[in-house]
Amino acid sequence: MKLVKHLLDRKGREIIAIAEDASVLDAIKMLADRSIGSLLVMDGDSLRGIVTERDYARKVIIKGRSSKSTQVREIMTTEVYTAKIDQTVDDCMTVMTEKRIRHLPVVENGEVVGLISIGDLVQAIIADQQAEIEQLAQYISS
């Protein structure tokens, strides 16, 4: 089974983050510009939270708040679940399913080194299943 490390090796370890005092409008622009669903909220190297499209929809749009005048700290999720570099894809899928989240920051030695999404996990699981199917087909045909 693949590890988080393998996912990051494939997709890269770029950290896309925003500051707590940035406006929600700035956060939404970053999400749109990058075609991503979440931003880590960082203070230097310190992870403060995560802000997602879901946070925006539930805490800004539905409540009629202003994206310009609302700060990221007002809507970010502060209880952030994280993954370790040596965790398996299955472990991460379990966490995401149980906690109903779509993104996990990856932490190594107390430092954020990447971010994985539910899509990353699904791709890895499908690739593993396809490889297993091919191996079984070769075994059967030989």
Side-chain angles (χ1 to χ4, degrees), residues 135-142:
Q135 288 174 352
L136 290 171
Q138 286 177 356
Y139 175 77
I140 291 169
S141 66
S142 57

Side-chain angles (χ1 to χ4, degrees), residues 8-73:
L8 292 180
D9 288 346
R10 190 189 90 252
K11 75 175 275 188
R13 296 174 183 242
E14 180 181 15
I15 306 295
I16 303 170
I18 195 160
E20 293 175 275
D21 59 353
S23 74
V24 170
L25 182 61
D26 289 338
I28 294 304
K29 284 180 182 177
M30 283 181 73
L31 292 171
D33 290 346
R34 298 284 195 132
S35 296
I36 56 176
S38 71
L39 293 170
L40 297 182
V41 181
M42 305 283 291
D43 181 9
D45 290 337
S46 179
L47 178 63
R48 297 288 190 216
I50 189 168
V51 64
T52 66
E53 294 168 326
R54 186 183 289 176
D55 290 323
Y56 178 68
R58 292 180 179 177
K59 299 172 186 173
V60 177
I61 295 175
I62 290 177
K63 294 188 177 184
R65 298 170 83 175
S66 165
S67 298
K68 282 184 182 179
S69 63
T70 303
Q71 290 184 321
V72 168
R73 75 168 41 90

